[in-house]
Structures are given as C-alpha cells and as structure tokens.
Amino acid sequence: MPNSFQRARAGRQGREVLSRRWIDVNGEQALLIRKQVKNVYLRIKPPDAHIEITAPARIPEAEVRRFAASKLGWIRSTRDRIARSERIFDEGAAGNGAGWGAASGSPSESTGGNGERLRRARAIIEEQLPGLVDRWVPVVGRGPSAITLRRMTTRWGSCTPATGRIRLNLELAWLEPRFLEYVLVHELTHLRASGHGDRFQGLMDSYLPGWRELRRALNRYVII
C-alpha cells in the first residue's frame, strides 16, 4: 500500500530544520520544530513520550498551540499505550505474543536507541492487533497466514495474497489507532481482491465507508 513517502523522499533533503524551541500547550511542554513542510504534524516521541510538533514557518505559533491543544485527548491515550507497551516489554511479552503468527524482532531492532524505539512500537501494535484481527477477519472473510511488523520507508502496509502474509509498518504505533485499523483492513481486503480496482473499492466501501478520508489523512504523515 503506497503512501506519501515515495512522493516526499525526493524533497526530503530540502526539509532543513529552520528552528527548534519548546512551547507551552495547556501546561504541557512541546517541542516545536519549524521545517519546510506543508502541514502540521503532531507526534509523541519515545522514550520520554514528549510532544513534538513539526510545522511550516508560515503558521502562527498561536494556531499551532490551538491545534495541539485540540489533540490533548489523543496525546493522553497515546502516552497510555506507550506506558502499557513498556510494561509488556518489561514482562517479556513483546515479540511473538499474538497467536496468529506475528514476526518477532528483526536484527535492525536489536541494538541502539532506535532499536529500543522500534521494540516499543512493536509492543504497542501487538497489544492492539489481536482485537483488530478478531474483529475484522470474520467481516472480510479472509485471515492472514502471518502478520509481520517492520520498519518500512515507502509503505504503511503490504500484502502477498498468494501466501496470505501481511506486513505492517511499525511507525503506525505512533499514530492514531484508527490508522492501524484502516491499514489492516486494507491489507486483509487484498486477500480477496488484488489491486485497487472496482472490486477492491467496493469491498472497502462495505467494510469502512470512510476509508478514503482515512487514506488521505494517513498519507499526510511523513516520517522525518
């Protein structure tokens, strides 16, 4: 499932940091990064779960604050998921906790600070996936042979219908849960319809009537 990464990679070198400063958002400290981007992006960054906002220079700081303040509910829920993932990881449950065959950590996750970030992302997704799989497999009528979680730079997810294998991007852990659900349903649907033609779109319309808006919203995110 292609995303905006492919369109953005060519211009990524031009997205130099213009400024970095901490701002107050309803009593919360947030790191505001000004870059040559088109939209405002809000993230919760491990390991300390601080708020990070990337915004173009043209948007006034007051508008950025209002945007971040409107997302405080999402910020709290995301921090709760990160905290739960830390408990799961500490208890040794991260890795292959889901009975439907989620892949364990890859070599790239084994060492370093980025490895810790990816392990936490894995734990967050693995906490959510069993419920999502249980919900959507009966609806779609097809189940995956395995779900692999990995860091990808050009796709949010992919599927090999011949083998039933689905791959999901670990970066989905840091976004709203609705995006993980959408990508999973998208890839499950490919087990019934290859490509993105009329049959695929008709099935998606019946499963998630608002899937096109979810796709547009998801593809506004770029990993920086």
Side-chain angles (χ1 to χ4, degrees):
M1 182 182 136
N3 60 28
S4 60
F5 298 163
Q6 293 168 315
R7 296 188 297 273
R9 290 179 76 182
R12 190 172 295 173
Q13 296 299 319
R15 290 200 183 95
E16 297 179 358
V17 173
L18 304 176
S19 66
R20 297 167 66 98
R21 64 184 297 263
W22 291 91
I23 63 172
D24 181 85
V25 179
N26 285 21
E28 290 270 8
Q29 289 296 299
L31 179 61
L32 173 58
I33 302 173
R34 297 288 191 174
K35 281 194 169 190
Q36 294 176 351
V37 292
K38 293 182 179 180
N39 301 299
V40 178
Y41 302 99
L42 176 66
R43 298 175 177 84
I44 303 301
K45 301 289 283 188
D48 59 350
H50 70 267
I51 304 169
E52 184 176 291
I53 307 166
T54 304
R58 61 182 170 77
I59 297 183
E61 185 172 309
E63 186 174 337
V64 173
R65 291 174 190 268
R66 285 194 296 272
F67 170 78
S70 72
K71 300 294 185 179
L72 286 177
W74 174 80
I75 290 168
R76 285 191 290 268
S77 65
T78 301
R79 283 174 166 168
D80 286 344
R81 292 201 308 276
I82 292 173
R84 288 196 300 270
S85 78
E86 290 176 341
R87 291 195 295 271
I88 292 171
F89 183 74
D90 290 342
E91 293 166 3
N96 196 22
W100 28 258
S104 59
S106 66
S108 63
E109 296 176 39
S110 59
T111 59
N114 193 52
E116 176 65 17
R117 181 177 183 274
L118 293 177
R119 286 192 292 272
R120 291 185 180 187
R122 179 179 298 281
I124 289 172
I125 293 178
E126 286 185 348
E127 181 188 22
Q128 300 175 67
L129 266 182
L132 291 173
V133 171
D134 287 346
R135 175 184 177 186
W136 285 105
V137 165
V139 174
V140 177
R142 295 287 191 278
S145 61
I147 297 178
T148 302
L149 308 178
R150 63 197 306 179
R151 171 73 159 77
M152 295 185 277
T153 60
T154 60
R155 295 175 180 269
W156 291 113
S158 64
C159 174
T160 306
T163 63
R165 295 188 67 89
I166 286 174
R167 289 160 292 280
L168 302 175
N169 195 328
L170 282 166
E171 293 299 319
L172 287 164
W174 314 117
L175 305 181
E176 297 172 60
R178 63 187 180 131
F179 293 128
L180 173 62
E181 181 176 42
Y182 158 65
V183 175
L184 176 65
V185 174
H186 182 115
E187 303 308 338
L188 285 174
T189 303
H190 277 311
L191 298 179
R192 294 195 60 183
S194 60
H196 297 93
D198 291 343
R199 174 169 164 74
F200 173 86
Q201 294 182 43
L203 289 171
M204 286 295 294
D205 286 340
S206 67
Y207 303 149
L208 282 175
W211 69 275
R212 289 178 177 82
E213 176 54 36
L214 285 169
R215 180 182 62 186
R216 284 192 291 269
L218 177 60
N219 285 338
R220 285 197 289 265
Y221 285 91
V222 176
I223 297 176
I224 299 174

